[in-house]
Amino acid sequence: MAADPLIRVTSLRKTFGKHRVLESLDLDVHEGEALAVLGANGAGKTTLLKILATLVRPTRGTAMVAGYDCAKDPERVRRHVGLVAHGAYVYEDLTALENLTFWTTLAGLRTSAAALAGALASVELERFAGERVRTFSAGMKRRLSLARFVLARPRVLLLDEPFAGLDQRAKKWLEEHLASFKSSGGAIVMATHSFGRELAVADRIAILAGGVVALDTPRGALSAEDVQRLYALHTEDAS
């Protein structure tokens, strides 16, 4: 019998006042699987990530991560989730090492100096451990934010436009890291309106339009051009 999905979204609805963002959303993501959620600005991609990260409560329906309800058991959900938002959310006046140390303290993680150094090495920032983050490029800041999850080892990664603003070296590193994360049994949800490297990482593609899943299909042999045609077709139908 197939294992239960790491992420299960059922009949999910989210409204802000009279504005409907998500409606009757159903999605499953299994271990070792990456889902790219495509949609225009305002399609509900980031709202979906925030619900899964327990930052926003659904209006109706359920979102489950690792068997726990995101609305009813947020503390347990957070132990399994790593969220990489569109911004890096690092402290500019702290060094790279101080950022990681501060974050692990807030997260209640017990980490050794060797583990912190190893996390920085894994994102190729070991030479910059003592440098203040305000001197870093956008790609370096994004890599530093990802080093947190090298330490926390979540089972689920939630990524908002993960490759945006990264240089080619950082994009290559992130693509390799996500492939390794999948191979270790992790599940990934990427929200994007890009047709670039996210598609290379994805095993499945879901297109959000009008607050609903207009298409959920395996990535398979679909080219970027195929995905663009499907995206245009389904988003035009919803407009």
Side-chain angles (χ1 to χ4, degrees):
M1 185 169 59
D4 289 338
L6 268 181
I7 299 170
R8 169 156 283 172
V9 174
T10 307
S11 301
L12 193 68
R13 187 173 197 259
K14 181 59 187 178
T15 59
F16 293 99
K18 295 183 179 180
H19 178 57
R20 183 194 67 181
V21 180
L22 299 172
E23 182 65 56
S24 301
L25 208 68
D26 294 308
L27 282 173
D28 285 352
V29 187
H30 289 81
E31 292 181 356
E33 186 176 36
L35 173 69
V37 181
L38 302 174
N41 289 334
K45 306 183 303 295
T46 298
T47 298
L48 173 61
L49 292 188
K50 287 182 176 180
I51 289 172
L52 292 172
T54 76
L55 300 178
V56 170
R57 291 176 63 89
T59 303
R60 191 172 64 211
T62 58
M64 308 286 291
V65 172
Y68 299 107
D69 190 302
C70 294
K72 295 178 180 178
D73 210 347
E75 291 299 327
R76 288 181 184 264
V77 171
R78 288 171 196 151
R79 296 173 194 169
H80 297 284
V81 167
L83 173 66
V84 180
H86 190 47
Y89 296 102
V90 290
Y91 293 95
E92 301 273 336
D93 289 329
L94 298 181
T95 67
L97 181 58
E98 287 169 344
N99 263 278
L100 273 193
T101 302
F102 181 61
W103 179 81
T104 55
T105 300
L106 286 180
L109 298 175
R110 294 182 179 180
T111 51
S112 65
L116 292 167
L120 288 173
S122 73
V123 296
E124 301 180 355
L125 290 176
E126 67 272 25
R127 293 188 296 113
F128 305 95
E131 300 292 328
R132 298 199 183 278
V133 171
R134 63 170 174 261
T135 66
F136 285 13
S137 68
M140 292 169 71
K141 290 175 183 176
R142 179 62 66 88
R143 279 187 277 153
L144 178 58
S145 71
L146 288 164
R148 303 167 183 169
F149 307 117
V150 174
L151 290 166
R153 299 184 181 277
R155 298 180 67 192
V156 171
L157 274 180
L158 307 173
L159 311 173
D160 196 354
E161 301 291 354
F163 292 94
L166 299 184
D167 57 32
Q168 289 303 312
R169 182 177 179 182
K171 286 179 180 178
K172 184 175 185 298
W173 178 89
L174 180 55
E175 189 173 340
E176 292 173 350
H177 179 79
L178 295 180
S180 175
F181 183 82
K182 281 198 307 178
S183 67
S184 68
I188 301 169
V189 179
M190 299 174 288
T192 184
H193 59 262
S194 169
F195 300 93
R197 287 182 183 254
E198 290 88 346
L199 298 186
V201 173
D203 302 291
R204 278 175 43 228
I205 295 164
I207 296 174
L208 287 189
V212 303
V213 177
L215 179 70
D216 185 348
T217 184
R219 168 75 166 86
L222 291 174
S223 67
E225 291 75 20
D226 293 332
V227 176
Q228 287 177 324
R229 284 194 292 271
L230 289 168
Y231 177 82
L233 172 66
H234 288 283
T235 53
E236 285 171 6
D237 285 347
S239 62

